[in-house]
Every structure is written in C-alpha cells, then in structure tokens.
Amino acid sequence: MVYHLQRTAINRDDVVLGIGDDCALLSPPEGKVLAVSTDTLISGVHFPESTSAQDIGYKSLAVNLSDLAAMGAEPAWVSLAISLPEPDESWLYQFMLGFNQLVEQYNICLTGGDTTQGSLSVTINITGFVNAQKALRRSNAKTGDYIYVTGDIGDAGLGLKAILNNLPEAHDLSYCINRLNRPVPQIMAGKILSQFAVAAIDISDGLLADLNHICQASRVGAVLNVEQLPVSDTLLAYYKQKPDWLNVITAGDDYELCFTCSKIQSVEVEALMQQHEIKLTRIGEIVETKGVKCMLNGKLVDAGFKGYEHF
Amino acid sequence: MVYHLQRTAINRDDVVLGIGDDCALLSPPEGKVLAVSTDTLISGVHFPESTSAQDIGYKSLAVNLSDLAAMGAEPAWVSLAISLPEPDESWLYQFMLGFNQLVEQYNICLTGGDTTQGSLSVTINITGFVNAQKALRRSNAKTGDYIYVTGDIGDAGLGLKAILNNLPEAHDLSYCINRLNRPVPQIMAGKILSQFAVAAIDISDGLLADLNHICQASRVGAVLNVEQLPVSDTLLAYYKQKPDWLNVITAGDDYELCFTCSKIQSVEVEALMQQHEIKLTRIGEIVETKGVKCMLNGKLVDAGFKGYEHF
C-alpha cells in the first residue's frame, strides 16, 4: 500500500532532497541543536474511535509540535508513518487536510512518509531547532521558582468524558471537545520561555503527573494551589462553578505548557506573555521537599489517584 | 503502556540530551547533511507472524540502516516506536536484544522511543551523516554506466516462500530464511560508493522494481543480463541449478545494494569492493531507452508480472 501523501507547497532551503529517494537530505542550521521527538497515536487509545480523519491529522502533528514547544524549539521537519486497515484515499485526503493546516502555519517540511496496511495508527517524528543552552529542560527547576501554566486546563478531559459517556450536555461542551481534538501547540510560549532557559513540560498526561516529571528531573518538590488553576467558563458552567479539581489536575491532552521560573525572571516572563496575548496563571511554587503537594483553600488535599473521596 | 526500552551503553558526543525529556537534543556535524528515513514494519505484512521478537528487532533496524547504506550515509541516531497488542516485557526484551545488536555494531544512539498498545508494528526513524555532494542519489545514473549488485539476490524471497508455504525443504533453506530475517545492511559498500557519488538503491521491493526506480529518477533505461545475476549455492541447489529467474528478480527483502557507475570509475570501484571483501557482480548497463529490458542468454525476455510463462 503506497499512497501519495498530499503535500503542501512548503519549501525550505534546509531541505536539500525531499521525499522520493532512500533518505531525505537535510541541512542542519549552524550553532543550534536539533530537538527531536517521536509520538505514536493509536485509535481508541490516544483519540476516540469516532474522531474524524481531519481531526486525527491535525492532532497527530499538534501533539508532536507540543513537544517542541516544551523545549522552546522552532519547528522545521516532520516525517509521518500511517497505518490504515484498508486503502482509503478519501480518509487520507481528509487526514492530510488537518495535518497540513499546521504544516502551513509553522512552515514545516514533510521530509518522509510511509503508509502501511494495519490497524489505525500514526507515528510522527518531528525535528526543531533550539540553542543548546536555551532549551527548556525539565531539570531546570529550582527551589523558590514560581510555577505557571498557559491557557486553561481540564477542558480536553471534559471533552473526552462528553464523548465517551455520550453526555446529554455534549452539545454545550463542544468547546471542550474541540479543545480535545484541536489542541493548540504552545510554540510561541515556548519561544518566549527559551529566552530564560526555565524548566518546562507540555501537559499531556495531566498537570499533576507532568509537574511531577519536572520535580523528579529537577530533584525538587512543588506546592500547587489548586483553586488558582485556570479553567474555562465552559468547564465552570458544567461543574456549576464548583470544578471537580481532581479531574482537572489529572486529565491529560490539554497540551498547555507548565513551567517554572525564578521570582526575578517572573516579572519579565509575565510581561512578555501578556504582550503576546498568551494567558498565563501562576499556580504554585517549587519547594525543596520532594513530591507535589496540592493545597485547596489553604488546606492540604490528597491528590493520590486513590484519593478521589478526599477532594 | 510505558516501557523502559533496554538501552545499550552507547554514548555519542553529538547526543546533548538523550531519552527522558520532551525532546532529545542532538548536535549535528558541521559540513555534512543529515540523511533521514522512516519505515514501518507490520506483522504479517513486512515479516511473517511467526518471526521471533529478536529477529523483528534486528530486521526493523537493519532495513532502516539499509536506507542509509543506499545514500552512502554513516549511521548516527535512531528513534523507535513500538505497538504491542499486550504488555509483554519478555517479548520487548528479546526485541531489544536483536535491535541492540546493530546499535552496538554501528555505534548508533537510541534518542527517542514510544511504546503503545495496538497491533504489532514497529516504526523507526533513522538519521545518518553524509556529504551533500557525495550522497548516492537515485537520479545519478547516466547512459553507458555499468549496473552492479552486491552479494546475492533472491535468497530472502526463497526463505519467505519456505516459511509461508511450509516447504518440506525448509530445513535445507535455513540459510535463505536467515537471509530473510537477518539482512545485512550494506553500510560499508555505501561508504565506498559515496566516494564516487554514483546512483544507488537498496533492494527491498525486488531488483527489477528497484532498478526501475533508479531508471525513472535518472530518466534513463537499463539492460539487465539475467543469467549474470549472483545467486547463492543454496538457491541454485533448490532450483536444481536452473533458477526461476522471474522469482529472483522480483523477490524483495534482500537489502543488497544495486548501483550504477561509469565505466571509467568501475575499475576503482571493483578494486575497493574486493579489498573490503564485498561480493560484487556486474549485471547490466544503463541505456538511453526508458524501461528495464531483461536479457537471458542473449534473448530479450518479458519480465512483466504477467509474463511468467515467457521465462
């Protein structure tokens, strides 16, 4: 099964030889390192089986771009491997429509592709450029740093719940379903942060788990002020102004950035984010004691996965 | 499903940050371009379902290395995405044993990995280094060039036939089955050829189809002298010294290199290959008239897929 993957007119000077030979030939930029990430999305695992081909195409690239954002890298090249149960030109056409929307937006070149017959899955390998010293490593967090998150969290999780449980409120939750299917990679926020070489991660597994990744890599802990977490009006309305905070901090797929920065840097970071109209919320502080502690209205709450009833 | 992929002790100076953050950070070499290839292998399509985990691990990387060989590139970095139907640590351990055999042999660094739950498939993205001017592009063939192939061809196809048809001779064909499961990427041959910037391709789809790819990219044709094709003693014995040539030229998976070079260069190329103990056979010539013509004992034969009875 060999398809011609619908390509855009994107040409980059650093692509010496594109798709069509045994390998692509790519000319890396001087003075920068390559930020490279691979992610597989499987139908029924990483997106509901009902997801449209166009949304799958968009989301597959978006979640990989989100990894670049979390390193502060500038997107450049992408390769795409798709498995489809049956040859289906129109599905693939729709997939590429969604995929190419981000290709065009970020001026990325598709440098390799493979289409095979198998159960529906998409594997993407993405490459971006970043200054080695300015990459946003998870290990950069330091005691006393503020913790921030871009945008709102919890929307994608609520959107997923609406789809999987066929909620009667699904119509009112279309905003959240769209957040699930069409996450916006925080490339610009990552670029801004790369001026400060702070610690960052994209929220794919849920805020709690991903903040914990930063803490472990940096050998620090965190105190999270749960009631400060930014949530959308749609989510607030669904929960009648009383969000299920455990859901909010454990739901994945929001692809916002969570990052830490020193109190001194925080003024400039906040100003730059505001200047670029990126919503930013301070949600806690890095501490010496390991682990992530969740505070709700001044009281410590147990956010362990078994601890739902404690919320 | 997240596994710890068993890694080797391979460290490379150009890997600034390895697995564990949102992206790996890789430092490209100066003065060279990156040769990048992506291939997916699906169980039951790219290898028989009975293939052992260790052979799948080996072969997945071997076929990707073969793409680098066909560009004359030096292997450097690899990322690995595996889907498995069920969590299976021992299967993965065996897979990585086979995979790591080539990782160690070629000093490659595993820079990214993703394990997901789904039907068995493996997607690899491999990166090597090559001088842009010396890359072995398919489009380099010129009228009058000699056509060569490394090693023997047809073995992997016969091995596959033995497995799929459960041939009674399967025991005698273990050599061919091994050639199917453990192809040797022709990295050294590719390196030698990169001194001459000739046209090359690795034989994955079959000699006829792959030589045709060279001809199309170079806008030339080829005359193939079928009786000169190099075949193994095992294959000769199976066919009682009268090979089924159509099978030989259409069977894939041998991962030998097919290349063209000028008559003037041919003397030096042959000498260098001999010096490195790489079996090399001249099998034809590039001509102006498009298409691949097959000659058998001086007579033109129809090698169209419908033309089996003409052989």
Side-chain angles (χ1 to χ4, degrees), chain A residues 20-26 33-36 38-40 42 67 70-71 79 81 83 114 119 125 138 202, chain B residues 16 20-26 33-40 42 67 70 79 81 83 114 119 125 138 202:
Chain A
D21 212 305
D22 296 293
C23 296
L25 296 178
L26 309 173
V33 295
L34 308 176
V36 181
T38 292
D39 271 309
T40 298
I42 307 253
D67 281 322
M71 293 305 276
S79 71
S83 287
D114 195 10
S119 58
N125 189 277
R138 294 180 185 177
D202 64 325
Chain B
V16 179
D21 212 305
D22 295 294
C23 295
L25 295 178
L26 308 173
V33 295
L34 307 176
V36 181
S37 177
T38 293
D39 270 309
T40 298
I42 307 251
D67 280 322
S79 70
S83 287
D114 195 10
S119 60
N125 189 278
R138 293 181 184 175
D202 64 325

mmCIF file of all heavy atoms in Angstrom, chain A residues 20-26 33-36 38-40 42 67 70-71 79 81 83 114 119 125 138 202, chain B residues 16 20-26 33-40 42 67 70 79 81 83 114 119 125 138 202:
data_model
loop_
_atom_site.group_PDB
_atom_site.id
_atom_site.type_symbol
_atom_site.label_atom_id
_atom_site.label_comp_id
_atom_site.label_asym_id
_atom_site.label_seq_id
_atom_site.Cartn_x
_atom_site.Cartn_y
_atom_site.Cartn_z
ATOM 1 N N GLY A 20 11.246 10.806 -1.781
ATOM 2 C CA GLY A 20 11.369 10.176 -3.096
ATOM 3 C C GLY A 20 12.628 9.372 -3.290
ATOM 4 O O GLY A 20 12.723 8.574 -4.207
ATOM 5 N N ASP A 21 13.641 9.574 -2.458
ATOM 6 C CA ASP A 21 14.851 8.756 -2.548
ATOM 7 C C ASP A 21 14.869 7.830 -1.318
ATOM 8 O O ASP A 21 13.879 7.724 -0.609
ATOM 9 C CB ASP A 21 16.094 9.659 -2.595
ATOM 10 C CG ASP A 21 17.214 9.035 -3.434
ATOM 11 O OD1 ASP A 21 17.606 7.901 -3.140
ATOM 12 O OD2 ASP A 21 17.682 9.702 -4.375
ATOM 13 N N ASP A 22 15.974 7.122 -1.109
ATOM 14 C CA ASP A 22 16.029 6.231 0.053
ATOM 15 C C ASP A 22 15.967 7.015 1.356
ATOM 16 O O ASP A 22 15.449 6.537 2.357
ATOM 17 C CB ASP A 22 17.302 5.381 0.003
ATOM 18 C CG ASP A 22 17.302 4.456 -1.202
ATOM 19 O OD1 ASP A 22 16.466 3.543 -1.224
ATOM 20 O OD2 ASP A 22 18.104 4.664 -2.125
ATOM 21 N N CYS A 23 16.538 8.198 1.351
ATOM 22 C CA CYS A 23 16.500 9.087 2.511
ATOM 23 C C CYS A 23 16.222 10.505 2.023
ATOM 24 O O CYS A 23 16.494 10.826 0.872
ATOM 25 C CB CYS A 23 17.855 9.113 3.235
ATOM 26 S SG CYS A 23 18.373 7.551 3.967
ATOM 27 N N ALA A 24 15.725 11.339 2.927
ATOM 28 C CA ALA A 24 15.743 12.773 2.688
ATOM 29 C C ALA A 24 17.124 13.290 3.088
ATOM 30 O O ALA A 24 17.804 12.683 3.918
ATOM 31 C CB ALA A 24 14.676 13.468 3.519
ATOM 32 N N LEU A 25 17.561 14.382 2.475
ATOM 33 C CA LEU A 25 18.823 15.016 2.868
ATOM 34 C C LEU A 25 18.503 16.393 3.444
ATOM 35 O O LEU A 25 17.907 17.232 2.760
ATOM 36 C CB LEU A 25 19.766 15.144 1.662
ATOM 37 C CG LEU A 25 20.243 13.831 1.043
ATOM 38 C CD1 LEU A 25 21.130 14.110 -0.182
ATOM 39 C CD2 LEU A 25 21.010 12.975 2.056
ATOM 40 N N LEU A 26 18.901 16.596 4.700
ATOM 41 C CA LEU A 26 18.523 17.809 5.434
ATOM 42 C C LEU A 26 19.757 18.524 5.936
ATOM 43 O O LEU A 26 20.677 17.904 6.479
ATOM 44 C CB LEU A 26 17.626 17.432 6.617
ATOM 45 C CG LEU A 26 16.424 16.542 6.261
ATOM 46 C CD1 LEU A 26 15.695 16.080 7.510
ATOM 47 C CD2 LEU A 26 15.471 17.287 5.334
ATOM 48 N N VAL A 33 21.143 23.160 18.129
ATOM 49 C CA VAL A 33 20.991 21.712 18.181
ATOM 50 C C VAL A 33 19.594 21.364 17.673
ATOM 51 O O VAL A 33 18.720 22.222 17.558
ATOM 52 C CB VAL A 33 21.201 21.153 19.612
ATOM 53 C CG1 VAL A 33 22.629 21.371 20.072
ATOM 54 C CG2 VAL A 33 20.206 21.754 20.597
ATOM 55 N N LEU A 34 19.435 20.085 17.346
ATOM 56 C CA LEU A 34 18.145 19.602 16.887
ATOM 57 C C LEU A 34 17.357 19.086 18.087
ATOM 58 O O LEU A 34 17.893 18.335 18.901
ATOM 59 C CB LEU A 34 18.341 18.467 15.882
ATOM 60 C CG LEU A 34 19.273 18.751 14.707
ATOM 61 C CD1 LEU A 34 19.436 17.498 13.846
ATOM 62 C CD2 LEU A 34 18.732 19.900 13.868
ATOM 63 N N ALA A 35 16.110 19.500 18.195
ATOM 64 C CA ALA A 35 15.197 18.929 19.191
ATOM 65 C C ALA A 35 14.316 17.935 18.448
ATOM 66 O O ALA A 35 13.657 18.296 17.472
ATOM 67 C CB ALA A 35 14.350 20.024 19.829
ATOM 68 N N VAL A 36 14.351 16.665 18.867
ATOM 69 C CA VAL A 36 13.677 15.606 18.112
ATOM 70 C C VAL A 36 12.742 14.822 19.029
ATOM 71 O O VAL A 36 13.115 14.466 20.147
ATOM 72 C CB VAL A 36 14.709 14.633 17.497
ATOM 73 C CG1 VAL A 36 14.009 13.556 16.685
ATOM 74 C CG2 VAL A 36 15.688 15.390 16.612
ATOM 75 N N THR A 38 9.425 11.717 19.010
ATOM 76 C CA THR A 38 8.598 10.727 18.305
ATOM 77 C C THR A 38 7.378 10.394 19.152
ATOM 78 O O THR A 38 7.515 10.132 20.341
ATOM 79 C CB THR A 38 9.387 9.419 18.084
ATOM 80 O OG1 THR A 38 10.432 9.649 17.154
ATOM 81 C CG2 THR A 38 8.494 8.329 17.523
ATOM 82 N N ASP A 39 6.216 10.413 18.546
ATOM 83 C CA ASP A 39 4.996 10.005 19.243
ATOM 84 C C ASP A 39 4.108 9.185 18.329
ATOM 85 O O ASP A 39 3.946 9.507 17.162
ATOM 86 C CB ASP A 39 4.190 11.243 19.698
ATOM 87 C CG ASP A 39 4.598 11.716 21.079
ATOM 88 O OD1 ASP A 39 4.627 10.878 21.989
ATOM 89 O OD2 ASP A 39 4.884 12.909 21.227
ATOM 90 N N THR A 40 3.534 8.135 18.912
ATOM 91 C CA THR A 40 2.558 7.322 18.190
ATOM 92 C C THR A 40 1.170 7.602 18.752
ATOM 93 O O THR A 40 1.002 7.683 19.961
ATOM 94 C CB THR A 40 2.879 5.827 18.363
ATOM 95 O OG1 THR A 40 4.162 5.560 17.801
ATOM 96 C CG2 THR A 40 1.846 4.959 17.659
ATOM 97 N N ILE A 42 -2.662 6.012 18.651
ATOM 98 C CA ILE A 42 -3.411 4.807 18.278
ATOM 99 C C ILE A 42 -4.898 5.080 18.449
ATOM 100 O O ILE A 42 -5.308 5.663 19.462
ATOM 101 C CB ILE A 42 -3.005 3.626 19.196
ATOM 102 C CG1 ILE A 42 -1.482 3.441 19.198
ATOM 103 C CG2 ILE A 42 -3.765 2.360 18.839
ATOM 104 C CD1 ILE A 42 -0.964 2.271 18.468
ATOM 105 N N ASP A 67 5.582 18.946 21.899
ATOM 106 C CA ASP A 67 6.874 18.526 22.474
ATOM 107 C C ASP A 67 7.982 19.525 22.124
ATOM 108 O O ASP A 67 8.863 19.803 22.932
ATOM 109 C CB ASP A 67 7.259 17.130 21.972
ATOM 110 C CG ASP A 67 6.517 16.027 22.715
ATOM 111 O OD1 ASP A 67 6.323 16.156 23.935
ATOM 112 O OD2 ASP A 67 6.141 15.030 22.076
ATOM 113 N N ALA A 70 7.567 22.559 24.280
ATOM 114 C CA ALA A 70 8.035 22.327 25.651
ATOM 115 C C ALA A 70 9.560 22.357 25.770
ATOM 116 O O ALA A 70 10.100 22.373 26.871
ATOM 117 C CB ALA A 70 7.502 20.992 26.154
ATOM 118 N N MET A 71 10.260 22.348 24.633
ATOM 119 C CA MET A 71 11.714 22.514 24.641
ATOM 120 C C MET A 71 12.106 23.920 24.208
ATOM 121 O O MET A 71 13.285 24.265 24.178
ATOM 122 C CB MET A 71 12.396 21.515 23.688
ATOM 123 C CG MET A 71 12.309 20.057 24.069
ATOM 124 S SD MET A 71 12.919 19.651 25.737
ATOM 125 C CE MET A 71 14.690 19.483 25.457
ATOM 126 N N SER A 79 8.400 13.776 9.745
ATOM 127 C CA SER A 79 8.115 12.581 8.945
ATOM 128 C C SER A 79 6.910 11.882 9.538
ATOM 129 O O SER A 79 6.630 11.988 10.732
ATOM 130 C CB SER A 79 9.322 11.659 8.871
ATOM 131 O OG SER A 79 9.541 11.047 10.108
ATOM 132 N N ALA A 81 4.374 8.366 9.507
ATOM 133 C CA ALA A 81 4.077 6.968 9.172
ATOM 134 C C ALA A 81 2.635 6.690 9.580
ATOM 135 O O ALA A 81 2.258 6.898 10.727
ATOM 136 C CB ALA A 81 5.036 6.037 9.907
ATOM 137 N N SER A 83 -0.583 3.849 9.482
ATOM 138 C CA SER A 83 -1.156 2.531 9.189
ATOM 139 C C SER A 83 -2.658 2.678 9.081
ATOM 140 O O SER A 83 -3.279 3.285 9.948
ATOM 141 C CB SER A 83 -0.847 1.534 10.305
ATOM 142 O OG SER A 83 0.486 1.158 10.255
ATOM 143 N N ASP A 114 5.570 7.065 5.212
ATOM 144 C CA ASP A 114 5.397 5.644 4.945
ATOM 145 C C ASP A 114 3.942 5.314 5.242
ATOM 146 O O ASP A 114 3.422 5.668 6.294
ATOM 147 C CB ASP A 114 6.333 4.824 5.854
ATOM 148 C CG ASP A 114 6.464 3.385 5.393
ATOM 149 O OD1 ASP A 114 5.985 3.062 4.281
ATOM 150 O OD2 ASP A 114 7.049 2.567 6.128
ATOM 151 N N SER A 119 -3.786 -1.846 11.670
ATOM 152 C CA SER A 119 -4.811 -1.124 12.419
ATOM 153 C C SER A 119 -4.395 0.347 12.514
ATOM 154 O O SER A 119 -3.214 0.685 12.480
ATOM 155 C CB SER A 119 -5.022 -1.740 13.800
ATOM 156 O OG SER A 119 -3.823 -1.735 14.521
ATOM 157 N N ASN A 125 7.620 11.780 13.615
ATOM 158 C CA ASN A 125 8.924 12.168 14.128
ATOM 159 C C ASN A 125 9.129 13.619 13.734
ATOM 160 O O ASN A 125 9.074 13.954 12.549
ATOM 161 C CB ASN A 125 10.011 11.277 13.509
ATOM 162 C CG ASN A 125 11.356 11.483 14.173
ATOM 163 O OD1 ASN A 125 12.074 12.408 13.825
ATOM 164 N ND2 ASN A 125 11.702 10.643 15.131
ATOM 165 N N ARG A 138 13.494 19.791 31.538
ATOM 166 C CA ARG A 138 12.684 19.524 32.732
ATOM 167 C C ARG A 138 13.510 19.666 34.014
ATOM 168 O O ARG A 138 12.961 19.865 35.083
ATOM 169 C CB ARG A 138 12.140 18.096 32.679
ATOM 170 C CG ARG A 138 11.150 17.867 31.573
ATOM 171 C CD ARG A 138 10.661 16.431 31.586
ATOM 172 N NE ARG A 138 9.792 16.182 30.438
ATOM 173 C CZ ARG A 138 9.263 15.008 30.140
ATOM 174 N NH1 ARG A 138 9.506 13.956 30.906
ATOM 175 N NH2 ARG A 138 8.485 14.865 29.095
ATOM 176 N N ASP A 202 5.038 19.927 28.450
ATOM 177 C CA ASP A 202 3.678 20.121 27.947
ATOM 178 C C ASP A 202 2.749 19.165 28.686
ATOM 179 O O ASP A 202 3.138 18.067 29.070
ATOM 180 C CB ASP A 202 3.597 19.947 26.429
ATOM 181 C CG ASP A 202 3.945 18.543 25.977
ATOM 182 O OD1 ASP A 202 4.829 17.910 26.606
ATOM 183 O OD2 ASP A 202 3.338 18.071 25.007
ATOM 184 N N VAL B 16 23.329 15.552 22.958
ATOM 185 C CA VAL B 16 23.428 16.515 24.063
ATOM 186 C C VAL B 16 22.496 16.105 25.197
ATOM 187 O O VAL B 16 22.822 16.213 26.370
ATOM 188 C CB VAL B 16 23.066 17.933 23.561
ATOM 189 C CG1 VAL B 16 23.147 18.949 24.686
ATOM 190 C CG2 VAL B 16 23.982 18.337 22.402
ATOM 191 N N GLY B 20 14.146 11.011 27.747
ATOM 192 C CA GLY B 20 13.699 11.363 29.099
ATOM 193 C C GLY B 20 13.093 12.745 29.210
ATOM 194 O O GLY B 20 12.413 13.048 30.176
ATOM 195 N N ASP B 21 13.349 13.624 28.250
ATOM 196 C CA ASP B 21 12.714 14.947 28.273
ATOM 197 C C ASP B 21 11.655 14.972 27.163
ATOM 198 O O ASP B 21 11.320 13.933 26.602
ATOM 199 C CB ASP B 21 13.778 16.044 28.077
ATOM 200 C CG ASP B 21 13.419 17.326 28.832
ATOM 201 O OD1 ASP B 21 12.317 17.841 28.616
ATOM 202 O OD2 ASP B 21 14.247 17.787 29.635
ATOM 203 N N ASP B 22 11.085 16.139 26.890
ATOM 204 C CA ASP B 22 10.079 16.210 25.838
ATOM 205 C C ASP B 22 10.678 15.908 24.472
ATOM 206 O O ASP B 22 10.017 15.365 23.600
ATOM 207 C CB ASP B 22 9.430 17.603 25.826
ATOM 208 C CG ASP B 22 8.654 17.864 27.106
ATOM 209 O OD1 ASP B 22 7.647 17.182 27.323
ATOM 210 O OD2 ASP B 22 9.090 18.709 27.895
ATOM 211 N N CYS B 23 11.936 16.288 24.286
ATOM 212 C CA CYS B 23 12.660 16.005 23.053
ATOM 213 C C CYS B 23 14.080 15.573 23.415
ATOM 214 O O CYS B 23 14.576 15.902 24.492
ATOM 215 C CB CYS B 23 12.789 17.259 22.179
ATOM 216 S SG CYS B 23 11.235 17.905 21.541
ATOM 217 N N ALA B 24 14.705 14.851 22.502
ATOM 218 C CA ALA B 24 16.152 14.687 22.595
ATOM 219 C C ALA B 24 16.793 15.925 21.981
ATOM 220 O O ALA B 24 16.194 16.589 21.135
ATOM 221 C CB ALA B 24 16.582 13.435 21.846
ATOM 222 N N LEU B 25 18.012 16.251 22.432
ATOM 223 C CA LEU B 25 18.756 17.364 21.823
ATOM 224 C C LEU B 25 19.991 16.777 21.144
ATOM 225 O O LEU B 25 20.811 16.121 21.790
ATOM 226 C CB LEU B 25 19.157 18.388 22.878
ATOM 227 C CG LEU B 25 18.003 19.124 23.568
ATOM 228 C CD1 LEU B 25 18.538 20.080 24.641
ATOM 229 C CD2 LEU B 25 17.160 19.906 22.557
ATOM 230 N N LEU B 26 20.105 17.010 19.836
ATOM 231 C CA LEU B 26 21.154 16.379 19.046
ATOM 232 C C LEU B 26 21.971 17.434 18.327
ATOM 233 O O LEU B 26 21.416 18.367 17.745
ATOM 234 C CB LEU B 26 20.520 15.430 18.020
ATOM 235 C CG LEU B 26 19.524 14.425 18.607
ATOM 236 C CD1 LEU B 26 18.818 13.656 17.501
ATOM 237 C CD2 LEU B 26 20.246 13.465 19.546
ATOM 238 N N VAL B 33 25.292 16.859 5.633
ATOM 239 C CA VAL B 33 23.840 16.924 5.743
ATOM 240 C C VAL B 33 23.359 15.662 6.452
ATOM 241 O O VAL B 33 24.101 14.684 6.589
ATOM 242 C CB VAL B 33 23.141 17.069 4.365
ATOM 243 C CG1 VAL B 33 23.501 18.402 3.727
ATOM 244 C CG2 VAL B 33 23.495 15.911 3.448
ATOM 245 N N LEU B 34 22.129 15.729 6.927
ATOM 246 C CA LEU B 34 21.524 14.575 7.583
ATOM 247 C C LEU B 34 20.760 13.758 6.543
ATOM 248 O O LEU B 34 19.999 14.316 5.754
ATOM 249 C CB LEU B 34 20.545 15.042 8.663
ATOM 250 C CG LEU B 34 21.097 16.035 9.698
ATOM 251 C CD1 LEU B 34 19.987 16.471 10.643
ATOM 252 C CD2 LEU B 34 22.255 15.414 10.461
ATOM 253 N N ALA B 35 20.987 12.450 6.544
ATOM 254 C CA ALA B 35 20.187 11.535 5.728
ATOM 255 C C ALA B 35 19.173 10.898 6.679
ATOM 256 O O ALA B 35 19.557 10.282 7.673
ATOM 257 C CB ALA B 35 21.069 10.479 5.086
ATOM 258 N N VAL B 36 17.890 11.086 6.382
ATOM 259 C CA VAL B 36 16.837 10.651 7.315
ATOM 260 C C VAL B 36 15.825 9.761 6.602
ATOM 261 O O VAL B 36 15.408 10.064 5.477
ATOM 262 C CB VAL B 36 16.090 11.876 7.904
ATOM 263 C CG1 VAL B 36 15.019 11.435 8.888
ATOM 264 C CG2 VAL B 36 17.066 12.822 8.587
ATOM 265 N N SER B 37 15.459 8.672 7.253
ATOM 266 C CA SER B 37 14.492 7.747 6.656
ATOM 267 C C SER B 37 13.543 7.206 7.724
ATOM 268 O O SER B 37 13.929 7.023 8.876
ATOM 269 C CB SER B 37 15.226 6.598 5.988
ATOM 270 O OG SER B 37 14.316 5.671 5.466
ATOM 271 N N THR B 38 12.314 6.968 7.342
ATOM 272 C CA THR B 38 11.302 6.376 8.231
ATOM 273 C C THR B 38 10.714 5.141 7.577
ATOM 274 O O THR B 38 10.333 5.187 6.411
ATOM 275 C CB THR B 38 10.147 7.367 8.486
ATOM 276 O OG1 THR B 38 10.637 8.460 9.239
ATOM 277 C CG2 THR B 38 9.015 6.709 9.255
ATOM 278 N N ASP B 39 10.642 4.049 8.321
ATOM 279 C CA ASP B 39 9.996 2.832 7.808
ATOM 280 C C ASP B 39 9.173 2.191 8.902
ATOM 281 O O ASP B 39 9.608 2.088 10.044
ATOM 282 C CB ASP B 39 11.040 1.815 7.339
ATOM 283 C CG ASP B 39 11.395 1.996 5.878
ATOM 284 O OD1 ASP B 39 10.471 2.051 5.059
ATOM 285 O OD2 ASP B 39 12.591 2.078 5.571
ATOM 286 N N THR B 40 7.994 1.733 8.514
ATOM 287 C CA THR B 40 7.138 0.963 9.426
ATOM 288 C C THR B 40 7.153 -0.501 9.001
ATOM 289 O O THR B 40 7.062 -0.808 7.811
ATOM 290 C CB THR B 40 5.686 1.486 9.367
ATOM 291 O OG1 THR B 40 5.670 2.839 9.788
ATOM 292 C CG2 THR B 40 4.775 0.667 10.263
ATOM 293 N N ILE B 42 5.062 -4.028 9.711
ATOM 294 C CA ILE B 42 3.824 -4.540 10.292
ATOM 295 C C ILE B 42 3.870 -6.066 10.266
ATOM 296 O O ILE B 42 4.274 -6.662 9.258
ATOM 297 C CB ILE B 42 2.619 -4.052 9.465
ATOM 298 C CG1 ILE B 42 2.655 -2.527 9.302
ATOM 299 C CG2 ILE B 42 1.311 -4.577 10.044
ATOM 300 C CD1 ILE B 42 1.644 -1.761 10.059
ATOM 301 N N ASP B 67 18.556 1.801 4.194
ATOM 302 C CA ASP B 67 18.251 3.067 3.512
ATOM 303 C C ASP B 67 19.424 4.050 3.624
ATOM 304 O O ASP B 67 19.725 4.789 2.687
ATOM 305 C CB ASP B 67 16.991 3.713 4.108
ATOM 306 C CG ASP B 67 15.716 3.078 3.576
ATOM 307 O OD1 ASP B 67 15.681 2.742 2.378
ATOM 308 O OD2 ASP B 67 14.771 2.921 4.361
ATOM 309 N N ALA B 70 22.102 2.964 1.233
ATOM 310 C CA ALA B 70 21.775 3.314 -0.150
ATOM 311 C C ALA B 70 22.003 4.795 -0.446
ATOM 312 O O ALA B 70 21.969 5.218 -1.601
ATOM 313 C CB ALA B 70 20.328 2.937 -0.459
ATOM 314 N N SER B 79 15.292 6.604 16.404
ATOM 315 C CA SER B 79 14.177 6.591 17.353
ATOM 316 C C SER B 79 13.251 5.439 16.983
ATOM 317 O O SER B 79 13.173 5.036 15.819
ATOM 318 C CB SER B 79 13.435 7.923 17.376
ATOM 319 O OG SER B 79 12.731 8.093 16.181
ATOM 320 N N ALA B 81 9.436 3.478 17.671
ATOM 321 C CA ALA B 81 8.061 3.432 18.176
ATOM 322 C C ALA B 81 7.536 2.015 17.984
ATOM 323 O O ALA B 81 7.563 1.493 16.865
ATOM 324 C CB ALA B 81 7.190 4.433 17.425
ATOM 325 N N SER B 83 4.312 -0.714 18.749
ATOM 326 C CA SER B 83 2.979 -1.055 19.249
ATOM 327 C C SER B 83 2.924 -2.541 19.518
ATOM 328 O O SER B 83 3.338 -3.345 18.678
ATOM 329 C CB SER B 83 1.909 -0.717 18.212
ATOM 330 O OG SER B 83 1.730 0.658 18.129
ATOM 331 N N ASP B 114 8.835 5.282 21.916
ATOM 332 C CA ASP B 114 7.448 5.350 22.336
ATOM 333 C C ASP B 114 6.884 3.937 22.247
ATOM 334 O O ASP B 114 7.038 3.271 21.232
ATOM 335 C CB ASP B 114 6.661 6.305 21.419
ATOM 336 C CG ASP B 114 5.317 6.706 22.007
ATOM 337 O OD1 ASP B 114 5.074 6.413 23.193
ATOM 338 O OD2 ASP B 114 4.504 7.313 21.285
ATOM 339 N N SER B 119 -1.988 -3.225 17.554
ATOM 340 C CA SER B 119 -1.499 -4.415 16.858
ATOM 341 C C SER B 119 -0.008 -4.235 16.565
ATOM 342 O O SER B 119 0.489 -3.119 16.440
ATOM 343 C CB SER B 119 -2.310 -4.675 15.599
ATOM 344 O OG SER B 119 -2.208 -3.584 14.729
ATOM 345 N N ASN B 125 12.767 5.750 12.875
ATOM 346 C CA ASN B 125 13.259 6.925 12.171
ATOM 347 C C ASN B 125 14.765 6.948 12.382
ATOM 348 O O ASN B 125 15.238 6.968 13.520
ATOM 349 C CB ASN B 125 12.606 8.186 12.745
ATOM 350 C CG ASN B 125 12.911 9.400 11.915
ATOM 351 O OD1 ASN B 125 13.973 10.011 12.058
ATOM 352 N ND2 ASN B 125 12.035 9.759 11.004
ATOM 353 N N ARG B 138 19.340 8.461 -6.360
ATOM 354 C CA ARG B 138 18.835 7.575 -7.413
ATOM 355 C C ARG B 138 18.946 8.224 -8.784
ATOM 356 O O ARG B 138 18.939 7.545 -9.805
ATOM 357 C CB ARG B 138 17.361 7.261 -7.151
ATOM 358 C CG ARG B 138 17.140 6.433 -5.906
ATOM 359 C CD ARG B 138 15.652 6.149 -5.727
ATOM 360 N NE ARG B 138 15.429 5.441 -4.476
ATOM 361 C CZ ARG B 138 14.231 5.131 -3.993
ATOM 362 N NH1 ARG B 138 13.148 5.476 -4.689
ATOM 363 N NH2 ARG B 138 14.106 4.480 -2.863
ATOM 364 N N ASP B 202 18.692 0.437 -2.337
ATOM 365 C CA ASP B 202 18.743 -0.882 -1.695
ATOM 366 C C ASP B 202 17.586 -1.728 -2.206
ATOM 367 O O ASP B 202 16.506 -1.216 -2.516
ATOM 368 C CB ASP B 202 18.744 -0.793 -0.163
ATOM 369 C CG ASP B 202 17.470 -0.190 0.386
ATOM 370 O OD1 ASP B 202 16.900 0.711 -0.273
ATOM 371 O OD2 ASP B 202 17.043 -0.619 1.464
#
